[in-house]
Amino acid sequence: MKSLNSKKNKHMDLSDRSEIQIGLERGSTIKEIASTIGKDPTTVSKEIKRNIFTKEADIEVICKDGKGNVKEVAKCPLLKRVPYVCNGCKKKRHRCAYNKRFYYAKNAQIKYEEVLIESRSGIALGQESFHELDKILTEGIKKGQRLYHLSQTKELDVSQATIYRYLHKGYLSVNKFDFPRVVKFKQRKQYQRSCIPKESKKGRTYGDFKAFIQGNDIASWVEMDTVTGRVGGKAIMTFNFSFCNFIFGVLLEDKTSLEVSNKVNILKTHFKAYDVRFGDIIPLLLTDNGNEFANIWAFINDLAGNRETDLFFCDPYQSSQKARIEKNHTLFRDIVPRGESFDDFNQETVNLIFSHVNGVKRKGLNGKSAYEMFCFTYSQRIAKLLGIKEIPANEVIQSPKLLK
């Protein structure tokens, strides 16, 4: 549960919105959802109403009055009260005569980002000031004067960087071809920034991870990552046990925080059904800064909301800090080359691939396989629970032939 004070006056992120959607699907109250993300219930209620997605009814219903005139189909009475959406409705997967209304975290986040960008773009000058700036620039540039010369000669109300931004957006009467040097500039390469909010990473950086394992005399942990096939298609979330490089994967329909959170909850429910605690098998996680891992609460808390796992993040663009899983992915790529789609895969396909990967004899394990070392520590029962079975050494296939 997040502290209300820590989130006060701060914008919601994708992690918060994912918690809202998960809470709605579980049937939690607005108050319970608000408590989970550290927001006021009114804020959560407004967020849901602001981002409702309407889906047309599965069944076309035509109602007529006594005179044969078509009447408007009545709205679902359940949508007139909290939570105003069908996410948690037990009938949502059945044929329904009403239009359905849903709250989707990903759609809400995209809409929020669009509004945020729009609100922060545009011109920060009044109409008269902007026209005066445009006049000065137009007259000066037509004389062949450089921008720095103009900024030193005239009293411009904006910086040179702002003028360049106005120029590229097409706000000015002059264009970039009137500037002698602008057409020669290469566009700066845009690097994807860390998608994990800074607030969430406090106390969870790689430096914190090193201090944690040293302070608690921890020799092994689980590294987590995702591998992708076709862009926009299915992906695989992987977990690698550092002490023996045993790896298993969970198939994702898409590479989003919500999908990852749902699959982790399914995994924990699966463990619980066999009287196994997720935190006992995976007590410590180390992963990268991909936005699919933004909902940290899905990993660190059990199904009842109690802490069971510690989670830390590598430094941005430092894949070497989780080198074991990156190296193990090369064995996966022996079977599924980079660029191939996972769209035809199911979870059984993923389990088969990693069963063969875990059956490979390793020099670093003195000729043992990752499967043998893992089962010696955790038992074959736990390996089977993770979807991994034993592959005899002479039957291991480490090539695309496995899937053909």
Side-chain angles (χ1 to χ4, degrees):
M1 182 183 298
K2 299 183 183 180
S3 169
L4 183 60
N5 291 332
S6 66
K7 301 291 289 184
K8 188 176 181 181
N9 298 326
K10 294 187 177 180
H11 291 208
M12 285 189 187
D13 52 33
L14 183 57
S15 172
D16 295 327
R17 292 183 168 91
S18 296
E19 282 289 350
I20 292 175
Q21 182 173 344
I22 292 171
L24 290 172
E25 291 174 353
R26 287 178 177 172
S28 303
T29 65
I30 297 294
K31 188 174 182 181
E32 289 171 342
I33 296 172
S35 177
T36 301
I37 65 175
K39 292 287 187 181
D40 188 271
T42 305
T43 302
V44 174
S45 179
K46 289 180 179 178
E47 166 69 16
I48 295 170
K49 290 181 179 179
R50 189 166 51 241
N51 295 287
I52 287 176
F53 171 78
T54 302
K55 183 180 179 182
E56 295 296 327
D58 298 323
I59 307 172
E60 184 178 359
V61 177
I62 300 177
C63 299
K64 296 183 179 180
D65 57 17
K67 299 179 180 179
N69 298 318
V70 177
K71 299 189 300 182
E72 183 180 354
V73 178
K75 295 181 180 179
C76 176
L78 297 177
L79 296 178
K80 295 179 180 179
R81 57 178 184 265
V82 177
Y84 315 111
V85 290
C86 305
N87 291 63
C89 182
K90 296 180 180 178
K91 298 180 181 180
K92 67 181 179 181
R93 298 191 184 277
H94 300 283
R95 291 170 65 81
C96 178
Y98 297 117
N99 288 343
K100 298 183 180 71
R101 303 171 70 189
F102 294 97
Y103 175 86
Y104 294 127
K106 185 177 180 180
N107 291 358
Q109 181 69 16
I110 292 173
K111 183 177 178 181
Y112 159 77
E113 290 174 354
E114 289 175 349
V115 172
L116 191 64
I117 292 171
E118 184 178 344
S119 66
R120 292 179 177 177
S121 61
I123 301 171
L125 295 174
Q127 184 175 357
E128 292 184 4
S129 300
F130 175 74
H131 285 309
E132 181 63 26
L133 171 68
D134 188 42
K135 181 181 177 181
I136 293 172
L137 290 173
T138 301
E139 292 177 351
I141 295 301
K142 286 183 177 180
K143 294 178 181 178
Q145 296 177 356
R146 302 299 174 95
L147 183 56
Y148 180 77
H149 175 82
L150 285 171
S151 65
Q152 296 298 312
T153 307
K154 307 290 185 179
E155 293 185 3
L156 303 181
D157 295 329
V158 295
S159 65
Q160 291 185 56
T162 299
I163 293 173
Y164 280 125
R165 186 168 67 250
Y166 289 172
L167 176 68
H168 288 297
K169 288 182 177 292
Y171 295 156
L172 302 173
S173 299
V174 290
N175 59 55
K176 61 183 180 181
F177 296 102
D178 295 318
F179 286 73
R181 298 183 60 206
V182 171
V183 292
K184 300 178 183 179
F185 294 160
K186 290 184 178 180
Q187 188 173 2
R188 182 177 295 176
K189 189 174 181 179
Q190 298 293 324
Y191 292 95
Q192 185 177 2
R193 297 184 178 181
S194 169
C195 296
I196 305 298
K198 290 184 178 180
E199 188 70 24
S200 299
K201 290 175 65 175
K202 285 185 178 179
R204 303 182 188 280
T205 64
Y206 188 70
D208 297 320
F209 168 74
K210 298 293 287 185
F212 182 81
I213 61 175
Q214 292 174 4
N216 293 276
D217 195 24
I218 296 174
S220 67
W221 52 90
V222 177
E223 296 175 353
M224 181 171 62
D225 202 354
T226 52
V227 287
T228 55
R230 177 182 64 83
V231 176
K234 291 182 180 180
I236 300 173
M237 176 169 53
T238 55
F239 297 83
N240 191 82
F241 291 78
S242 65
F243 76 94
C244 66
N245 278 335
F246 177 89
I247 188 171
F248 74 95
V250 176
L251 186 64
L252 305 173
E253 293 301 315
D254 51 55
K255 193 178 173 182
T256 62
S257 175
L258 180 62
E259 173 68 3
V260 166
S261 301
N262 287 335
K263 287 300 173 69
V264 170
N265 284 332
I266 291 172
L267 186 63
K268 292 185 177 184
T269 302
H270 180 58
F271 273 43
K272 186 177 180 180
Y274 287 87
D275 198 27
V276 176
R277 186 169 173 269
F278 180 86
D280 291 337
I281 308 301
I282 306 179
L284 177 59
L285 279 168
L286 176 66
T287 188
D288 59 25
N289 293 264
N291 72 326
E292 67 269 28
F293 303 126
N295 186 6
I296 63 174
W297 310 101
F299 296 100
I300 68 175
N301 290 342
D302 62 17
L303 297 174
N306 302 312
R307 183 74 164 267
E308 66 172 347
T309 300
D310 288 294
L311 173 66
F312 294 90
F313 296 97
C314 297
D315 295 328
Y317 313 112
Q318 294 294 327
S319 59
S320 60
Q321 293 174 351
K322 52 179 181 62
R324 294 172 179 84
I325 194 169
E326 298 289 349
K327 178 66 175 178
N328 230 6
H329 282 171
T330 62
L331 296 181
F332 170 84
R333 289 302 184 186
D334 288 342
I335 300 172
V336 187
R338 188 177 299 277
E340 288 200 9
S341 172
F342 304 159
D343 292 353
D344 293 332
F345 287 10
N346 53 33
Q347 186 59 47
E348 287 70 27
T349 310
V350 175
N351 292 343
L352 176 65
I353 293 171
F354 287 114
S355 292
H356 280 259
V357 169
N358 288 316
V360 175
K361 300 290 185 179
R362 316 249 181 156
K363 182 178 181 180
L365 300 177
N366 293 321
K368 299 290 184 181
S369 69
Y371 180 86
E372 292 174 301
M373 296 299 293
F374 181 85
C375 291
F376 179 79
T377 306
Y378 286 101
S379 78
Q380 288 185 336
R381 175 174 176 264
I382 300 301
K384 184 177 180 181
L385 195 62
L386 297 173
I388 306 301
K389 63 182 181 180
E390 182 179 10
I391 305 295
N394 61 346
E395 295 180 15
V396 170
I397 300 175
Q398 195 60 26
S399 77
K401 293 180 180 179
L402 175 64
L403 303 181
K404 296 179 180 179

